[in-house]
């Protein structure tokens, strides 16, 4: 456990939650009990003086459920549902955060925000001011206007880019995947759970590549390893953990041996510096 004891000292934390972690699988409607627990956990971190960002999926799923739609087949349908669902999702977040005397703020980012120097600086300044005000930013990709060729593509990658953008020192990815295994545990009962990753090498990347085409490989572990590449190179530790119980957040930060911990390698941040600008000197 000594390798994780330092996590309690992390001061700026990004927490990503996926759609499946926020809704009831039977109906696609929001699981209010889970969201309440998530908000309470984040509020308690804020009360400790930590800066916290939530990168939240769920807008399209919430919009689809609200309109009584089944599977969405067109981009127009998905973007319309995102427009409907994003407002509903933020309304719920704001209601719960207000009950814990916290203020939340919505930021919808696009890939253009990151690749443009001016927009990237403006986004970083907005985050900084929100932290100074004590607010909790809730981030999602702007699905209502994005097209395939200008998308981040998934909120795992988006959360890692936000981590680099705001110089966070910890990223927690919460989803239906408990952590990194040597193989897809849903297909191979002999798959071994990996608790710590010091260096993300080609062998580990190959584990995700070998499962391409499955839920585990596309939109699953493959995107999470891509996020780990970005976050650890930017100087942040990253944890992949299960989202069955959002109370895992305080356990992880307290040093619990849950999930897979990827260690930061800030000396490898040249690629991130090229994308996001030179990292500020923490001194």
């Amino acid at each position: 456990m000594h390798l994780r004891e330092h996590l309690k000292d992390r001061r700026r934390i990004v927490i990503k939650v996926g759609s499946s972690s926020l809704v009831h699988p039977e109906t696609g409607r929001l699981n209010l009990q889970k969201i309440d627990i998530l908000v309470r956990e984040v509020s308690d971190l804020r009360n400790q003086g930590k800066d916290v960002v939530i990168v939240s999926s769920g807008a399209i799923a919430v919009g689809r459920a609200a309109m009584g739609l089944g599977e969405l087949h067109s981009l127009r349908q998905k973007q319309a549902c995102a427009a409907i669902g994003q407002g509903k999702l933020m309304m719920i977040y704001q209601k719960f955060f207000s009950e814990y005397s916290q203020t939340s703020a919505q930021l919808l980012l696009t890939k253009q925000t990151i690749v443009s120097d001016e927009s990237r600086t403006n986004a970083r300044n907005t985050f900084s001011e929100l932290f100074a005000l004590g607010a909790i930013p809730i981030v999602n990709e702007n699905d209502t206007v994005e097209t395939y060729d200008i998308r981040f593509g998934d909120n795992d990658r988006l959360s890692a880019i936000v981590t680099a953008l705001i110089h966070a020192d910890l990223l927690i990815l919460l989803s239906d995947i408990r952590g990194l295994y040597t193989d897809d545990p849903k297909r191979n009962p002999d798959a071994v759970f990996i608790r710590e990753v010091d260096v993300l090498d080609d062998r580990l990347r190959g584990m995700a590549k070998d499962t391409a085409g499955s839920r585990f490989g596309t939109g699953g572990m493959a995107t999470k390893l891509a996020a780990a590449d970005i976050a650890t190179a930017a100087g942040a530790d990253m944890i992949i953990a299960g989202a069955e119980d959002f109370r895992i957040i305080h356990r992880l930060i307290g040093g619990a041996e849950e999930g897979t911990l990827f260690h930061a390698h800030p000396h490898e941040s040249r690629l991130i510096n090229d994308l996001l600008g030179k990292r500020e000197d923490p001194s």
Side-chain angles (χ1 to χ4, degrees):
M1 183 177 292
H2 68 282
L3 293 176
R4 299 192 181 214
E5 287 181 351
H6 65 281
L7 295 177
K8 69 180 184 300
D9 299 321
R10 294 298 179 252
R11 306 305 302 171
R12 183 165 290 178
I13 302 165
V14 177
I15 300 172
K16 179 263 176 179
V17 290
S19 297
S20 62
S21 307
L22 295 173
V23 301
H24 292 286
E26 302 83 4
T27 64
R29 295 187 177 275
L30 288 172
N31 186 327
L32 299 179
Q33 185 177 30
K34 287 193 70 175
I35 293 176
D36 185 22
I37 295 172
L38 171 64
V39 167
R40 188 166 69 240
E41 289 281 312
V42 171
S43 296
D44 193 56
L45 292 177
R46 186 72 202 100
N47 287 344
Q48 296 174 39
K50 300 179 188 295
D51 296 331
V52 189
V53 175
I54 299 175
V55 176
S56 176
S57 303
I60 293 176
V62 171
R64 180 176 59 196
M67 302 310 295
L69 299 176
E71 185 177 355
L72 304 178
H73 298 286
S74 71
L75 177 62
R76 290 192 304 174
Q77 280 186 318
K78 293 177 181 178
Q79 291 180 323
C81 285
I84 294 167
Q86 188 64 43
K88 291 180 175 293
L89 185 60
M90 273 305 301
M91 181 180 67
I92 295 297
Y93 273 125
Q94 288 175 331
K95 175 178 173 57
F96 278 116
F97 272 117
S98 66
E99 292 179 359
Y100 295 100
S101 301
Q102 302 290 344
T103 299
S104 58
Q106 175 179 263
L107 284 87
L108 298 178
L109 301 181
T110 68
K111 191 173 182 180
Q112 186 61 33
T113 307
I114 300 302
V115 300
S116 164
D117 290 344
E118 182 178 3
S119 296
R120 183 174 63 246
T121 299
N122 288 339
R124 183 184 287 121
N125 290 342
T126 299
F127 276 108
S128 295
E129 189 62 24
L130 288 171
F131 293 142
L133 293 171
I136 298 168
I138 300 175
V139 178
N140 197 1
E141 185 166 8
N142 194 345
D143 292 313
T144 62
V145 300
E146 292 291 68
T147 55
Y148 180 79
D149 58 336
I150 59 171
R151 285 174 54 83
F152 292 110
D154 61 84
N155 274 358
D156 291 328
R157 187 177 285 103
L158 173 59
S159 65
I161 291 172
V162 169
T163 298
L165 177 69
I166 66 173
H167 303 157
D169 45 20
L170 177 62
L171 169 61
I172 301 175
L173 301 183
L174 299 177
S175 72
D176 57 357
I177 299 174
R178 175 174 166 246
L180 179 63
Y181 289 80
T182 56
D183 196 3
D184 184 351
K186 297 177 182 177
R187 296 183 176 185
N188 180 3
D190 295 323
V192 177
F193 185 70
I194 300 173
R195 297 191 178 277
E196 305 267 345
V197 175
D198 186 41
V199 177
L200 188 55
D201 55 24
D202 291 340
R203 178 182 64 86
L204 294 175
R205 293 187 185 93
M207 293 176 187
K209 184 177 180 180
D210 291 341
T211 59
S214 71
R215 184 179 180 185
F216 183 82
T218 59
M221 190 54 64
T223 65
K224 289 171 176 53
L225 293 188
D229 264 328
I230 297 170
T232 58
D237 293 320
M238 190 187 95
I239 302 174
I240 302 172
E244 297 85 359
D245 180 3
F246 285 137
R247 283 176 285 248
I248 195 173
I249 293 171
H250 76 260
R251 298 198 300 270
L252 290 171
I253 295 175
E257 291 282 347
E258 299 184 68
T260 299
L261 172 63
F262 296 77
H263 294 283
H265 291 282
H267 59 281
E268 299 175 359
S269 61
R270 180 177 58 84
L271 178 62
I272 303 303
N273 288 339
D274 290 344
L275 177 63
L276 298 177
K278 186 176 180 181
R279 184 181 177 87
E280 296 174 1
D281 187 339
S283 63

